[in-house]
C-alpha cells in the first residue's frame, strides 16, 4: 500500500528521541516520548501499516494476533486523533473512542496500554468488565472519559442504565473479534453496533479473517485498509516447539521434574479444563512450587491477583484454560507448557504465542499421551510442520502416542484401537537418553484456516 498517500500533513517529530524508527509514522511528541520510555526502537509491521492509516482517518481490518504489537498499533493513533480534535474545556467528557474486547484480562491490558501511551496527553480513559461490582465503574464514568475499554455484556448494562452514552462516539475498535464470536458475543456486538452513530471510524482486529468475521465486517467497516501481518495459521517463528511423549498419569510428575531440573522461574501451563487446572495447581503447590490457576470459574479478583503474582515472579507457575489465558500479555514469557493439547488446533497457535513475544526467543513444550495422538496430528497439519520430539529419560511412556512412533509419513498414522498398547515397537521417542528428532516440514502457509469451531462444546472453559 501507499503509505505516503495516507500520511497526515502535520507530522511532528522529535529527532532527539531514540525511538527513531517511529519518526516516520507521524506521531506527535508526547506519544513519541511514551514510546521511547517503553523502550521501543522500531515499529512492528502492524504498527508501520496501521498507525499512518488510522491517523489518516481510514477504517482498518487487520489480521494480527496478540504479540504483534497490535495494541500500540491502534492505541497510539487513536490517542493522537482524539488529542488533535481537541475538546471544549468542561468537566464532562463525552465518550469518543470505544474499544471492545472479549475478555476482562485483555480489556485491562488494553486500558493499561492506553494509559501508558497516553501518559503525556490530557485524555481520560477507563476500563469496564463484568464479574466485579458495577458501582465503582459507574463512579469512574460519572465525569465522562474520552476512551473506554469494555467487554460487551457490562458495556450494554452500563448503557442501559444510562451511564454510558455513545452519541459522540468517533472511533470504534473491535479487538480479537474472532474470539468474541467464539465466546458467543455476536448478539451483544450487534446490539452495540446498532447503538452507535453511523458516522465513525472502525478498526477491526482479529487473529483470522474467517467467513464469520468477514460477514461481521461487511456491515461495519467502509473500504477498509486490510492488513495481515502473520499468516493466520502459522506458529511464531521465534518459538521453539517440542513434544514430550509421556503417559497421561505421569504428566504432573514430568512437569514437576522439568520445573525443578530446568529451574524454570516463570512458566504458563495450559490445561483443557477448569477442573484440570485446579487439580494441577494443587499438585504443584504440594511439591513446593508456587502456583495458581486461572479460569472462568474464578472470581475476577482471584484472576487479577494470580496474574499480578505471576507477572511479578512471586508465582512460578500459572495454570490456565484457553479462554482465561487469551490475550494475556506477559513480557518476555520464556516458557509455555501444554499440559493437555487443545481440542481446537488454532488454540495451539494462540497458546504458544504467549511466549517468544516481540522478537524474544521462547519455548513451548507439549506433554503428549497416547489419547492425544490424533490431536497432535491435527495440530501439525494445521501449522504445516511436524513438531520436534524429545524423550525425557525416566518418563518413557508405556503407551507412546501413536503418531510419534512412525518413521514414515505421520499424517496417515492410524489411531490405536482397544487399549492401544503396542508391544515391542520401540518408537524413536523411546530410546534411552534424551533423544530428539526433527521432521521439519514446510513453513506454515498463509492459507485460510480450517476452523473447527463446531467442535468447541462450550464457550466457557
Ligand atoms: P500486543 O500484540 O499489542 O499484545 O503487544 C505485544 C508486546 O509487544 C507487548 O508487550 C508490547 O509492549 C510489545 N511491543 C509493542 N510494540 C513494540 C515495539 N515496537 N517494539 C518492541 N516491543 C513492542
Amino acid at each position: 500500500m501507499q503509505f505516503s498517500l495516507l500520511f497526515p500533513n502535520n507530522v511532528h517529530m522529535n529527532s532527539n528521541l531514540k525511538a527513531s524508527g517511529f519518526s516516520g509514522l507521524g506521531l506527535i511528541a508526547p506519544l513519541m516520548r511514551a514510546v521511547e520510555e517503553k523502550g521501543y526502537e522500531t515499529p512492528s509491521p502492524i504498527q508501520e501499516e496501521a498507525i499512518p492509516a488510522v491517523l489518516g482517518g481510514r477504517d482498518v481490518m487487520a489480521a494480527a494476533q496478540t504479540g504483534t504489537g497490535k495494541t500500540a498499533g491502534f492505541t497510539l493513533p487513536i490517542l493522537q486523533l482524539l488529542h488533535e480534535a481537541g475538546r471544549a474545556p468542561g468537566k464532562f467528557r463525552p465518550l469518543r473512542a470505544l474499544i471492545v474486547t472479549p475478555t476482562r484480562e485483555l480489556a485491562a491490558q488494553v486500558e493499561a496500554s492506553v494509559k501508558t501511551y497516553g501518559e503525556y496527553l490530557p485524555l481520560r480513559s477507563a476500563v469496564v468488565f463484568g464479574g466485579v461490582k458495577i458501582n465503582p465503574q459507574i463512579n469512574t464514568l460519572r465525569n465522562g472519559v474520552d476512551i473506554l475499554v469494555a467487554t460487551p455484556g457490562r458495556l450494554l448494562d452500563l448503557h442501559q442504565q444510562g451511564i454510558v452514552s455513545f452519541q459522540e462516539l468517533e472511533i470504534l475498535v473491535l479487538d480479537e473479534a474472532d474470539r468474541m464470536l467464539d465466546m458467543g458475543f455476536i448478539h451483544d456486538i450487534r446490539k452495540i453496533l446498532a447503538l452507535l452513530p453511523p458516522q465513525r471510524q472502525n478498526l477491526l482486529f482479529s487473529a483470522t479473517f474467517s467467513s464469520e468475521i468477514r460477514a461481521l465486517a461487511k456491515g461495519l467497516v467502509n473500504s477498509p485498509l486490510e492488513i495481515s501481518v502473520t499468516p493466520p495459521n502459522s506458529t511464531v517463528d521465534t518459538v521453539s516447539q517440542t513434544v514430550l511423549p509421556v503417559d497421561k498419569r505421569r504428566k504432573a510428575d514430568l512437569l514437576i521434574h522439568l520445573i525443578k531440573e530446568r529451574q524454570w522461574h516463570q512458566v504458563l501451563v495450559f490445561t483443557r479444563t477448569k477442573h484440570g487446572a485446579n487439580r494441577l495447581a494443587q499438585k504443584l503447590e504440594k511439591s513446593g512450587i508456587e502456583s495458581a490457576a486461572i479460569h472462568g470459574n474464578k472470581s475476577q479478583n482471584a484472576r487479577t491477583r494470580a496474574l499480578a503474582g505471576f507477572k511479578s515472579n512471586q508465582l512460578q507457575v500459572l495454570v490456565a484454560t484457553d479462554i482465561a489465558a487469551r490475550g494475556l500479555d506477559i513480557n518476555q514469557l520464556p516458557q509455555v507448557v501444554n499440559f493437555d493439547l487443545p481440542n481446537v488446533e488454532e488454540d495451539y497457535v494462540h497458546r504458544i504465542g504467549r511466549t517468544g513475544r516481540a522478537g524474544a526467543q521462547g519455548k513451548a513444550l507439549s506433554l503428549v499421551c497416547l489419547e492425544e495422538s490424533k490431536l497432535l496430528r491435527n495440530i501439525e497439519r494445521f501449522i504445516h510442520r511436524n513438531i520436534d520430539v524429545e524423550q525425557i529419560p525416566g518418563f518413557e511412556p508405556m503407551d507412546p502416542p501413536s503418531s510419534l512412533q512412525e518413521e514414515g509419513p505421520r499424517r496417515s498414522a492410524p489411531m490405536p484401537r482397544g487399549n492401544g498398547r503396542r508391544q515391542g515397537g520401540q518408537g524413536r521417542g523411546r530410546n534411552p537418553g534424551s533423544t530428539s528428532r526433527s521432521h521439519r516440514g514446510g513453513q506454515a502457509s498463509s492459507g485460510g484456516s480450517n476452523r473447527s469451531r463446531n467442535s468447541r462444546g462450550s464457550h466457557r472453559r
Side-chain angles (χ1 to χ4, degrees), residues 181-319:
L181 300 192
D182 292 343
M183 291 171 73
F185 286 140
I186 186 65
H187 297 298
D188 284 353
I189 296 296
R190 294 216 181 274
K191 267 191 220 161
I192 293 166
L193 294 180
L195 296 168
L196 306 182
Q199 276 291 0
R200 51 168 209 266
Q201 189 175 2
N202 299 290
L203 314 177
L204 178 71
F205 289 79
S206 178
T208 57
F209 283 170
S210 62
S211 50
E212 298 111 293
I213 293 289
R214 290 205 175 271
L216 174 69
K218 231 178 186 176
L220 178 69
V221 286
N222 298 315
S223 28
L225 169 71
E226 286 202 18
I227 306 172
S228 179
V229 287
T230 339
N233 53 358
S234 76
T235 39
V236 189
D237 285 336
T238 52
V239 180
S240 82
Q241 303 166 58
T242 311
V243 160
L244 308 183
V246 62
D247 284 334
K248 191 173 180 179
R249 65 194 154 77
R250 301 207 60 205
K251 281 189 176 187
D253 289 340
L254 174 56
L255 180 62
I256 291 164
H257 168 83
L258 290 169
I259 292 170
K260 291 190 169 164
E261 202 195 69
R262 300 190 180 182
Q263 297 175 358
W264 288 340
H265 64 279
Q266 197 185 39
V267 49
L268 179 61
V269 178
F270 285 94
T271 60
R272 221 164 15 226
T273 64
K274 298 170 194 173
H275 186 57
N278 284 339
R279 220 175 22 212
L280 180 59
Q282 281 162 9
K283 250 191 189 154
L284 294 175
E285 281 280 321
K286 272 194 195 138
S287 307
I289 297 166
E290 293 279 332
S291 54
I294 57 168
H295 51 67
N297 281 0
K298 294 266 178 182
S299 72
Q300 184 55 38
N301 286 341
R303 288 159 74 165
T304 309
R305 219 174 24 245
L307 188 59
F310 187 59
K311 281 187 174 185
S312 62
N313 281 311
Q314 282 161 339
L315 281 181
Q316 223 174 327
V317 180
L318 189 64
V319 187

Side-chain angles (χ1 to χ4, degrees), residues 22 35 38-44 47 65-73 109 113 117 327 329-331 357-358:
F22 281 82
V35 165
K38 272 296 264 180
Y40 303 165
E41 291 181 3
T42 41
S44 68
Q47 291 163 0
Q65 298 169 8
T66 324
T68 55
K70 68 182 166 70
T71 315
Q109 274 169 202
S113 294
Y117 301 129
D329 175 25
I330 302 153
N331 263 338
R357 317 201 58 190

